[in-house]
Structures are given as structure tokens and as C-alpha cells.
Amino acid sequence: MGAPQAAGRVDCHKVKCVALTFDDGPGPYTDALLHHLEVHRARATFFVVGRNVAANPAPVRKAYAAGHEIGSHTWSHPDLTKLTATRVRLELSRTDEAIKAAIGVAPKLVRPPYGAVNGTVRLQTTRPMVLWNVDTLDWRLRDSAKVVRKTLASVHPGSVILFHDIHPTTVRAMPRILKSLSKRGYHFVTVTRLFDGKPPGTVYGLAHAGHHL
């Protein structure tokens, strides 16, 4: 049983690594996703919505216990750039409390909904804001075969890949994605592991053109 833990300690300077990230859960398909990840000894990062965690903490506990990383995706998934500084802090603090109640620790990473960040938002937390550099468009495609093709055509070493585990089509695509990328020699690691334990202040800050960070 030592291999899964070892998978989380790979040296991404020496092997090809990608970070699979899943937004908007937990949801009804998160347990199935966790099974697929376990089969492939993959580690992922879940950017969870606070109110979903409060309503259904069990999948978050299960993910954390399996070695996955849990990050904040705010309490109610608003565009933070349209909120006051006080409201931004509340969105983050309520989510921190829900996650801490579920797994015992507050999240160390934040993913702003829609990748929307401005100076005001950035000042409300010292934690890394994690965007992405591969958008699978799974939220729009809603087709497993298309999600597989889009992902496999876009991935490169160091990718932070955006998925949403609230869509059954995404979860059904994962076995083929994991198998194909494994054959290409990729290791699946958390965002923190990808950045050697020290993600920069804004990870992939140019994922969304027009959001100046």
C-alpha cells in the first residue's frame, strides 16, 4: 500500500507532472471520481464550494484522507471582482470554516470563480490564487469523448488542468484521460506538489487574458 503515497512525492523536476484540478464540488459524482483516481494512483486538487461542503462534507473528508488537496472555491461561487473587500473576505472565511469542520484544517489555496481576480480581491488573502493553463471546456462540452480529446490535445508537462466534478460526463471521461496520460509517462500530483511545496502568489496568473494580476 506504499505506492499511492509515493505517487504524491514524485520529483516534478525529473518526471512529467500535471495537476488535475476539480471545481465546484463536492457533488453526486465526487465519490466515483475518487475511485477512478485511486485506481490510477493519482493525486488531485479539489477546489470546493463552501456551501456544498457544509451540506455534504463526507466526500471532502474522503478525498483529503486519500491524499488529495482541498482548496477554496469560495462559499457561493460569485465573481469576486464584483464584490466589496468585506464580502470577498466573508466568501473566503465561511469556506475556510466549512472545510476546517470537514477535514480539520483550513485550505492553503484559493481558486477564484471564473478565474476573476483584481487588485482588491488579491489583497484579501495571502494565499496563492490558483488559476489554470489548460481549460478542458468540460462545463460547456458535456460530452465525455470530447472532454477526453480536448484534454489529451492540450496537456503538457506542468499543466494545471481545469475540470468540474459536478458533471457526470467529466467523471466518465476520467478513466480514459488517466490511462492515456499514464501511458505518456505523466504523474498526477497536487498543485502544491507541482510547485515543489511553494506555489507562487498567483499560479498561472495569465490563464485569463484581461485579468491583470
Side-chain angles (χ1 to χ4, degrees):
M1 292 299 289
Q5 282 71 35
R9 296 197 194 106
V10 298
D11 184 346
C12 294
H13 296 293
K14 297 179 180 176
V15 299
K16 293 194 293 186
C17 292
V18 292
L20 309 175
T21 68
F22 296 92
D23 286 12
D24 296 356
Y29 316 106
T30 304
D31 277 341
L33 172 60
L34 290 172
H35 170 72
H36 298 324
L37 295 171
E38 182 180 6
V39 167
H40 289 272
R41 294 177 176 173
R43 294 286 177 272
T45 301
F46 288 83
F47 289 101
V48 294
V49 173
R51 62 186 178 189
N52 293 348
V53 178
N56 186 23
V60 180
R61 277 197 293 268
K62 185 175 179 182
Y64 184 69
H68 302 295
E69 187 165 33
I70 309 299
S72 170
H73 199 38
T74 73
W75 177 260
S76 62
H77 204 278
D79 180 338
L80 295 177
T81 64
K82 292 179 165 57
L83 303 184
T84 65
T86 301
R87 284 282 308 284
V88 172
R89 289 196 299 273
L90 186 61
E91 282 282 333
L92 296 175
S93 64
R94 288 186 75 186
T95 306
D96 291 350
E97 289 165 11
I99 292 173
K100 193 168 184 179
I103 64 173
V105 294
K108 294 182 173 64
L109 304 175
V110 173
R111 171 168 283 168
Y114 316 107
V117 184
N118 61 15
T120 299
V121 172
R122 194 68 199 89
L123 287 171
Q124 305 319 309
T125 180
T126 58
R127 289 172 287 183
M129 291 262 175
V130 180
L131 303 186
W132 54 87
N133 62 359
V134 173
D135 187 347
T136 63
L137 300 178
D138 61 333
W139 55 274
R140 189 164 79 198
L141 296 172
R142 306 289 183 95
D143 178 306
S144 295
K146 289 179 180 177
V147 171
V148 171
R149 286 197 296 273
K150 173 70 174 166
T151 304
L152 297 182
S154 306
V155 168
H156 55 270
S159 289
V160 175
I161 310 171
L162 174 64
F163 296 102
H164 299 78
D165 55 319
I166 57 171
H167 301 307
T169 44
T170 297
V171 175
R172 284 200 294 270
M174 290 316 299
R176 280 175 284 171
I177 291 169
L178 290 162
K179 187 174 182 180
S180 295
L181 292 180
S182 292
K183 283 183 176 177
R184 294 188 194 176
Y186 280 99
H187 296 257
F188 308 105
V189 298
T190 64
V191 168
T192 295
R193 172 59 53 186
L194 186 67
F195 289 93
D196 204 23
K198 299 178 288 291
T202 304
V203 178
Y204 288 114
L206 300 180
H208 264 29
H211 286 299
H212 212 65
L213 305 176

